[in-house]
């Protein structure tokens, strides 16, 4: 009994240390690079507080949400809740890790190309990106305005549904927020899924760099749905894997425009002792932004410049339309699409620090849903040989969150993935 008590105390001490690590930013006014006094209270947060939720702090994330590894030049790295020598995924790294290790039951994040689903998958929790415009973006620091969407993190589908219920719905302060009525998400969960058609997106399973362990685990999740009475349908989305190239034109373009407001004048970091306005602006931006942010601003400014906007930004928008049409066609014959969330499990720390392109590929399978504005969820479906969680992604049509949550809930109840989890001292 004494040995057991000692072991429990050791785990608790480790958990406390982890909580301190992930809840690193207790000042809610701190964002991205440097200290930013945020002028507004986000609608999603205000609604959660009005519903009785208590905010316990701000969590670490990639600087300005640009990144997929949880590296933050200003605040340090966020570590994986299962294995600290691996990354937590990004950009909402702290949200994934904090929910996984029990520091908080629920969290939120924003998903522009996968930033809710990727850290959810990396940390073995659930992450939901709602339909574009389902949740108000008011008060959210803008990254790519045509892609950003706020979504929940939770340890189970029912909690995610409840959180979405609170934050979803019209907001007069965000003109892109949809006026559509909010259904009762919890009521939809327990409807049986027998007879639903699940599309297995062929291109995802043929994608270069797809880890065989990830593939096997996600196919087993599909088989589980089949056992529940779903019909598995082979579906082609020929433009699916073009999402990433399209994204890395559109997202940096919009980011370069959005980040122009950090000029050292109104808010954000300001360089000390500048001689004049021009020097203050250029030094504030040079000193305040990290490497990844600068890289995106350079790419975006280039893609939007007069001589290139037709060749890059406009072209990318045209490909985006083709991606959306692929989805429209697919949803003509199936109810939900199934893919892996990411081609691999979490990277080791530093594995891609010198290679941004390798990091960008982590979002290969999450980006298409942002391109088409569709709701998508990542939930745990297994573990790899190293004991790291694997995520399966489900996607439905616009405003079909009820269907998405229903399929996810039925899968979760049948698969009971966490009952087979490997031992991890930091994940309760
Ligand atoms: N990892 C992607 C990027 O680096 C997506 C980030 C996000 O969704 N905020 O842009």
């Amino acid at each position: 009994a004494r040995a057991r008590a000692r072991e429990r105390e050791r785990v608790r001490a480790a958990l406390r240390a982890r909580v301190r690590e992930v809840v690193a930013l207790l000042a809610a006014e701190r964002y991205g690079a440097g200290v930013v006094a945020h002028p507004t209270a986000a609608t999603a947060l205000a609604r959660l507080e009005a519903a009785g939720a208590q905010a316990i702090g701000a969590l670490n994330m990639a600087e300005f949400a640009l990144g997929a590894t949880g590296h933050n030049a200003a605040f340090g790295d966020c570590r994986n809740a299962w294995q600290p020598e691996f990354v937590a995924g990004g950009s909402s790294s702290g949200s994934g890790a904090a929910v996984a290790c029990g520091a908080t039951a629920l969290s939120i994040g924003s998903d522009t190309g996968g930033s809710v689903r990727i850290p959810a998958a990396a940390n073995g929790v659930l992450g939901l990106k709602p339909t574009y415009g389902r949740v108000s973006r008011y008060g959210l620091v803008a990254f790519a305005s045509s892609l950003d969407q706020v979504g929940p993190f939770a340890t189970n589908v029912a909690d995610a549904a409840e959180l979405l219920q609170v934050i979803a719905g019209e907001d007069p302060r965000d003109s892109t927020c949809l006026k559509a009525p909010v259904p009762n998400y919890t009521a939809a969960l327990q409807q049986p899924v027998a007879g639903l058609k699940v599309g297995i997106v062929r291109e995802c399973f043929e994608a270069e760099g797809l880890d065989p362990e990830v593939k096997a685990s996600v196919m087993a999740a599909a088989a589980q749905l089949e056992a529940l009475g779903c019909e598995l349908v082979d579906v082609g989305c020929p433009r699916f894997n073009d999402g990433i190239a399209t994204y890395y034109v559109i997202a940096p373009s919009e980011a370069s425009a959005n980040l122009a407001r950090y000029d050292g004048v109104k808010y954000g970091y300001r360089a000390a002792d500048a001689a004049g306005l021009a020097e203050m602006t250029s030094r504030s931006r040079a000193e305040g932004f990290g490497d990844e942010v600068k890289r995106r601003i350079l790419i975006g400014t280039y893609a939007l410049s007069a001589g290139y906007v037709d060749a890059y930004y406009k072209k990318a928008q045209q490909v985006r339309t083709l991606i959306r049409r692929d989805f429209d066609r697919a949803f003509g014959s199936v109810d939900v699409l199934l893919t892996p969330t990411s081609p691999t499990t979490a990277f080791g720390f530093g594995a891609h620090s010198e290679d941004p392109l390798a990091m960008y590929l982590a979002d290969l399978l999450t980006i298409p849903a942002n391109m088409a504005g569709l709701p998508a969820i990542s939930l745990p479906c297994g573990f790899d040989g190293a004991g790291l969680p694997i995520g399966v992604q489900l996607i439905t049509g616009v405003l079909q969150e009820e269907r998405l949550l229903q399929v996810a809930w039925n899968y979760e109840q049948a698969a009971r993935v966490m009952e087979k989890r490997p031992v991890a001292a930091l994940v309760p």
Side-chain angles (χ1 to χ4, degrees):
R2 199 168 299 151
R4 261 209 308 278
R6 259 205 311 275
E7 175 59 13
R8 259 205 309 276
E9 191 35 51
R10 191 186 67 75
V11 171
R12 277 206 203 102
L15 254 175
R16 277 196 297 273
R18 172 127 322 248
V19 170
R20 275 197 296 276
E21 207 174 305
V22 291
V23 189
L25 307 175
L26 280 170
E29 72 274 16
R30 298 179 127 217
Y31 285 90
V35 179
V36 179
H38 199 270
T40 55
T43 297
L45 271 181
R47 286 188 179 161
L48 279 167
E49 284 180 350
Q54 179 112 38
I56 59 164
L59 291 154
N60 203 356
M61 59 183 282
E63 186 182 346
F64 288 107
L66 314 180
T69 58
H71 170 71
N72 184 306
F75 295 125
D77 297 330
C78 179
R79 292 178 176 271
N80 191 290
W82 291 77
Q83 310 238 14
E85 62 280 18
F86 289 84
V87 304
S91 66
S92 305
S93 331
S95 302
V99 170
C101 75
T104 171
L106 296 167
S107 187
I108 53 174
S110 69
D111 190 312
T112 306
S115 277
V116 167
R117 289 160 287 159
I118 296 288
N123 290 286
V125 299
L126 193 134
L128 165 63
K129 182 200 92 70
T131 303
Y132 179 76
R134 178 73 290 186
V135 178
S136 168
R137 292 182 296 119
Y138 183 76
L140 173 72
V141 175
F143 163 9
S145 307
S146 73
L147 300 163
D148 298 342
Q149 181 59 193
V150 176
F153 285 86
T155 55
N156 62 78
V157 179
D159 283 2
E162 226 175 291
L163 201 162
L164 179 64
Q165 193 78 49
V166 171
I167 61 176
E170 182 182 357
D171 178 10
R173 293 160 124 178
D174 174 3
S175 60
T176 65
C177 190
L178 299 171
K179 289 200 171 69
V182 180
N184 184 335
Y185 294 120
T186 305
L189 297 181
Q190 300 187 21
Q191 305 283 332
V193 290
L196 291 184
K197 291 201 169 100
V198 178
I200 309 296
V201 184
R202 196 182 310 142
E203 288 75 7
C204 297
F205 292 91
E206 289 164 0
E208 212 184 304
L210 177 64
D211 182 324
E213 282 184 295
V214 171
K215 183 174 178 175
S217 179
V218 172
M219 288 315 289
Q224 178 71 258
L225 286 171
E226 195 176 26
L228 289 169
C230 293
E231 185 189 333
L232 303 186
V233 183
D234 175 56
V235 165
C237 288
R239 294 286 179 176
F240 200 93
N241 295 336
D242 292 337
I244 193 139
T246 317
Y247 175 88
Y248 277 101
V249 173
I250 294 174
S253 296
E254 296 183 11
S256 72
N258 277 324
L259 292 169
R261 61 173 66 93
Y262 294 93
D263 54 6
V265 176
K266 298 176 287 296
Y267 40 76
Y269 174 83
R270 178 183 294 176
D273 309 320
L277 181 64
E279 189 191 321
M280 182 190 77
T281 301
S282 78
R283 269 190 39 216
S284 296
R285 291 172 69 79
E287 291 166 16
F289 290 140
D291 286 347
E292 185 57 34
V293 180
K294 286 178 186 152
R295 186 156 37 236
R296 305 279 181 116
I297 292 174
L298 287 174
I299 296 170
T301 309
Y302 180 80
L304 289 179
S305 58
Y308 294 106
V309 68
D310 287 346
Y312 294 110
Y313 189 71
K314 235 171 131 186
K315 244 314 161 258
Q317 291 290 12
Q318 287 164 345
V319 178
R320 184 176 185 175
T321 303
L322 297 178
I323 295 171
R324 190 177 301 143
R325 283 194 194 144
D326 270 4
F327 278 118
D328 288 346
R329 212 172 310 118
F331 288 122
S333 56
V334 300
D335 300 289
V336 47
L337 294 172
L338 181 143
T339 80
T341 304
S342 194
T344 64
T345 49
F347 315 136
F349 253 101
H352 293 319
S353 52
E354 301 303 323
D355 184 2
L357 280 180
M359 177 185 83
Y360 295 169
L361 280 174
D363 300 317
L364 177 70
L365 308 173
T366 47
I367 281 171
N370 300 78
M371 284 295 156
L374 301 174
I377 198 168
S378 174
L379 62 166
C381 64
F383 297 86
D384 72 2
L388 289 164
I390 298 171
V392 57
Q393 173 175 242
L394 301 170
I395 309 172
T396 52
V398 166
L399 290 177
Q400 301 278 304
E401 279 85 355
E402 282 168 286
R403 174 65 28 101
L404 190 64
L405 288 159
Q406 173 202 358
V407 177
W409 186 87
N410 277 270
Y411 169 74
E412 174 191 71
Q413 299 301 309
R416 308 210 156 270
V417 172
M418 283 301 147
E419 285 174 12
K420 295 165 223 146
R421 68 186 186 272
V423 180
L426 300 177
V427 177

